[in-house]
Amino acid sequence: ANPSMDADPIPLDAALERINPDVILVDRHARELLDDTADPRHPYHYIATDFEAFRARRPLVRVCAVQDASYGTMEVYRVSGRREL
């Protein structure tokens, strides 16, 4: 969550751990956000670092990428090491 909009934000990596996904879909908008925030000078750099922290604990395996002329590319990743609930 954006700390300026939420009094008690949860980091992206903690939110992903809480959700415990089998797959993660990265559309063109999410890809652009992750690419842009990878720059340490970006004000939302924590988004990229949180996502990388999650990936470090739970590696992602790219399954495929779906190309759509109107929507763009959708990347599909399988999450390794899924926790059993």
Side-chain angles (χ1 to χ4, degrees):
N2 184 332
S4 68
M5 296 180 185
D6 190 328
D8 190 25
I10 181 171
L12 177 59
D13 62 321
L16 288 169
E17 287 289 353
R18 188 178 293 176
I19 294 168
N20 194 28
D22 291 318
V23 296
I24 292 179
L25 305 177
V26 179
D27 69 3
R28 63 187 168 122
H29 302 291
R31 172 55 53 211
E32 182 178 357
L33 177 66
L34 291 170
D35 290 347
D36 289 350
T37 59
D39 182 342
R41 297 169 297 187
H42 196 286
Y44 299 126
H45 179 61
Y46 62 87
I47 293 172
T49 57
D50 287 354
F51 190 71
E52 289 306 314
F54 177 78
R55 288 179 56 144
R57 291 190 305 274
R58 309 268 303 278
L60 304 181
V61 177
R62 187 173 178 181
V63 176
C64 68
V66 178
Q67 305 287 334
D68 181 79
S70 62
Y71 189 75
T73 302
M74 174 73 72
E75 301 168 69
V76 181
Y77 293 90
R78 183 172 23 92
V79 180
S80 299
R82 186 173 190 277
R83 298 181 342 268
E84 293 302 318
L85 298 177

